[in-house]
Amino acid sequence: MAGKTDTPSRRSAPRWGLGADGTSSPVMLLVKVVGLGFLAAVALFAALPLIRTDNWWGLAIVLAVTALAFYIYLSPRPVPLKYLLPGTLFLIVFQVLPVVYTVSTAFTNFSDGHRGTKEQAITAIEGASVKQVPDSTIYTLTLATDGDAATGDIVFLLADPTTQDSFVGTADGLEDLGDGSFEAASPGGKITAADDYTVLTVPEINARQDDITAFSVPTDDGAIKSQGLSAAFEGAPQQSYDEGCDCITDATTGNVWTADDSEGSFVSKDGTQRNLAQGWKVGVGFDNFARVFTNDTIRGSFLRIVVWNFAFAIATVAITFALGLLVAIALNNPLMRGRTIYRSLIILPYAMPGIAMYLVWREMFNKDFGLINRLLHTDLNWFGSTASSMFAILLIQLWLGYNYMFLVITGALQSIPSDLVEAAGVDGAKPFYAFRTITFPLLLVALAPLLITSFAFNFNNFSAIFLTSKGGPFPPDNPSAGSTDLLITYTYRLAFGGSGADYGFAAAVSVLIFLIVAAVSIVSFRRTQALEEIN
């Protein structure tokens, strides 16, 4: 038709990543191939250790997730799951699974001496009691690992100087080293290298000393234990397990320890001997939670820590908010000069690494050479008493936190329409009354969720305590619960303390922390809904 101009059809315009016919472009096809190839490599990397440890449930999950990903991304339909799957998987792996594992651990006795299965505990007990018997073989020992030197399983590379045979000893037993698979200083001499194994250097041996001491190679007649760094002997266990009585018997003393499956321990049959330290992991129900409220020492410490924890979190939010509000109001006044310079100086501490600042402040409060004592001309041990420790910690929190509150309050103040305050002034309202009835309520509408999240953060502010007072001072009757401990630092000490890790109880305390913070947050958010009516 005359006068009609041809315009390109919108249907014919190729979409990003697609050709004109709707198929994948070469670039997108290459990205898809590389991505799926990487996913297959990760799945294979994860599947191999699962197969080696007979973890068939874990292997099934890996295969199912991999198959689902291949199905979704090879499908020609642009389904939303292509965009949701990566985030969902990361959410499950880094959020859901740790929470599930923590909650499940809280119902077990998982701790030092109660880590593995009953069979592993029996093997460890028998292996630890091995003693050399007369005329036993003394092997030339080379310490090595099956894999990485720092994390791989310990193995013994053994050479029999009498028969000149060479063996590798693992937790599963003794096997011959194939000819040509190792190097030795001489026939029947010390092995210097072996295929598939990493020979440990002296520093690496020192780092794995505990693992080496606890390791033994089971044999038909007993076990092979290390004797120093260059020799090993085959001996017989002095403590052996009897399946008939489900007990451990000491061959030299005759003492008997019977298995208590409810506690995961071997206990003395007549009560005259201490229970064996090595046990196994079992479910204990709500025992870990009950310990918090039934054990007199733990109950007193727990309640005191909870009170201080609430006081610390509330006080930190209150003082940082108050000072941040005062400074923000002052610098929001258009009549003040140099506001840009003042604001830059105020937010400077916020730009510093928090960990470094905690360490700097800890040294500033040092009794002997700290800056605080020098300026005040005092000789006060700030972290030596409860009151001074709490004051020092709150002062540090004020210095580190008020600038953040200043930033968010400044932004909130500038978002409030100025005509509201001006109208109140025209009606005769004094500045303080206008601030209390108009500005401050509008500030709370914007900042209430921030204050709640700040409370939740400070309730679990591990660095603020651990890097300054370390939870101290500690009472002489309970070195595991300090006067300035938060629940999170108390939990850390329980889980990784020098007196022995108690992961089950620490997990139970973690669950209680979550319930406390969740309850406070839910109540607070419901209360803040009333502020929305101000808008």
Side-chain angles (χ1 to χ4, degrees):
M1 183 179 296
K4 182 178 179 180
T5 59
D6 294 334
T7 58
S9 173
R10 295 183 63 183
R11 284 183 180 273
S12 62
R15 291 173 290 174
W16 180 85
L18 299 177
D21 57 352
T23 60
S24 298
S25 66
V27 174
M28 290 303 298
L29 184 61
L30 177 62
V31 171
K32 184 181 294 186
V33 170
V34 173
L36 291 178
F38 177 76
L39 177 62
V42 172
L44 180 62
F45 179 78
L48 292 177
L50 294 175
I51 296 174
R52 187 166 59 247
T53 57
D54 296 334
N55 190 344
W56 306 119
W57 280 108
L59 179 62
I61 293 174
V62 170
L63 294 178
V65 171
T66 305
L68 177 63
F70 270 78
Y71 171 76
I72 291 174
Y73 287 104
L74 291 178
S75 173
R77 295 175 297 174
V79 294
L81 276 177
K82 291 183 178 180
Y83 307 97
L84 295 176
L85 183 63
T88 303
L89 291 178
F90 276 102
L91 176 66
I92 293 174
V93 172
F94 294 107
Q95 292 290 338
V96 178
L97 289 182
V99 171
V100 172
Y101 182 73
T102 300
V103 174
S104 62
T105 302
F107 294 92
T108 69
N109 66 341
F110 187 29
S111 59
D112 281 350
H114 297 82
R115 294 174 180 263
T117 64
K118 185 177 181 178
E119 289 73 19
Q120 291 173 331
I122 293 172
T123 301
I125 292 172
E126 292 179 337
S129 67
V130 170
K131 291 186 178 180
Q132 186 176 0
V133 297
D135 300 328
S136 62
T137 303
I138 303 297
Y139 296 96
T140 301
L141 171 66
T142 299
L143 295 169
T145 59
D146 184 4
D148 183 71
T151 60
D153 295 333
I154 298 294
V155 298
F156 287 170
L157 301 178
L158 304 169
D160 188 335
T162 304
T163 63
Q164 297 186 358
D165 294 330
S166 299
F167 309 91
V168 55
T170 67
D172 297 326
L174 201 63
E175 298 179 4
D176 289 327
L177 274 175
D179 294 337
S181 63
F182 66 94
E183 298 177 5
S186 61
K190 189 177 181 67
I191 298 173
T192 56
D195 296 345
D196 302 326
Y197 300 105
T198 303
V199 175
L200 299 179
T201 63
V202 174
E204 292 169 345
I205 292 173
N206 293 332
R208 301 291 302 272
Q209 190 62 51
D210 292 339
D211 296 332
I212 295 171
T213 303
F215 179 73
S216 62
V217 180
T219 63
D220 294 337
D221 299 324
I224 298 175
K225 294 280 291 183
S226 62
Q227 190 178 46
L229 302 182
S230 300
F233 65 88
E234 182 175 5
Q238 303 304 300
Q239 294 177 343
S240 58
Y241 175 71
D242 185 353
E243 188 175 356
C245 64
D246 197 15
C247 62
I248 296 288
T249 303
D250 193 305
T252 57
T253 64
N255 293 330
V256 178
W257 294 269
T258 304
D260 186 345
D261 292 323
S262 64
E263 296 183 4
S265 301
F266 286 100
V267 301
S268 176
K269 188 174 182 179
D270 54 6
T272 59
Q273 301 294 326
R274 295 180 58 186
N275 298 341
L276 294 181
Q278 184 65 50
W280 60 96
K281 182 180 176 181
V282 295
V284 295
F286 289 91
D287 288 356
N288 289 322
F289 296 93
R291 284 173 59 190
V292 176
F293 305 103
T294 58
N295 185 291
D296 293 337
T297 302
I298 296 177
R299 181 177 65 246
S301 301
F302 185 82
L303 294 178
R304 174 177 53 79
I305 291 173
V306 168
V307 172
W308 159 241
N309 209 147
F310 271 101
F312 168 80
I314 294 173
T316 297
V317 174
I319 60 179
T320 54
F321 177 77
L323 183 58
L325 178 62
L326 291 175
V327 176
I329 292 173
L331 295 184
N332 199 48
N333 191 334
L335 299 179
M336 175 171 285
R337 297 181 178 180
R339 289 186 296 172
T340 302
I341 298 177
Y342 287 130
R343 287 171 178 169
S344 301
L345 294 176
I346 289 173
I347 65 174
L348 185 62
Y350 185 63
M352 301 292 183
I355 293 178
M357 291 298 98
Y358 281 124
L359 297 177
V360 169
W361 272 96
R362 184 185 68 184
E363 298 307 318
M364 288 173 61
F365 280 108
N366 186 277
K367 176 183 177 182
D368 299 320
F369 52 82
L371 178 63
I372 304 297
N373 277 341
R374 290 190 177 186
L375 291 177
L376 300 178
H377 301 288
T378 59
D379 190 27
L380 181 63
N381 183 9
W382 289 92
F383 297 118
S385 65
T386 301
S388 59
S389 293
M390 291 179 176
F391 175 81
I393 291 170
L394 291 176
L395 181 61
I396 296 172
Q397 288 297 99
L398 177 63
W399 189 82
L400 288 174
Y402 88 94
N403 34 51
Y404 170 71
M405 290 294 183
F406 161 77
L407 284 175
V408 296
I409 293 172
T410 298
L413 283 175
Q414 294 176 352
S415 66
I416 297 176
S418 59
D419 54 353
L420 294 177
V421 180
E422 294 173 357
V426 172
D427 291 339
K430 295 182 178 180
F432 179 76
Y433 181 81
F435 172 80
R436 183 173 62 84
T437 58
I438 299 176
T439 305
F440 189 70
L442 291 175
L443 273 178
L444 289 182
V445 172
L447 299 181
L450 172 67
L451 297 179
I452 295 172
T453 54
S454 180
F455 168 84
F457 171 80
N458 284 287
F459 198 87
N460 291 315
N461 196 340
F462 178 84
S463 300
I465 303 300
F466 191 79
L467 296 178
T468 53
S469 68
K470 297 186 181 297
F474 294 90
D477 60 336
N478 189 6
S480 63
S483 300
T484 58
D485 260 327
L486 302 182
L487 288 174
I488 187 64
T489 56
Y490 179 55
T491 303
Y492 174 83
R493 194 172 293 110
L494 291 174
F496 307 104
S499 59
D502 193 347
Y503 303 112
F505 183 60
V509 176
S510 299
V511 172
L512 293 177
I513 294 174
F514 168 76
L515 294 177
I516 292 172
V517 175
V520 172
S521 299
I522 291 172
V523 172
S524 300
F525 275 117
R526 287 185 175 179
R527 293 288 182 89
T528 57
Q529 289 178 356
L531 296 174
E532 296 179 1
E533 299 177 0
I534 299 175
N535 256 347

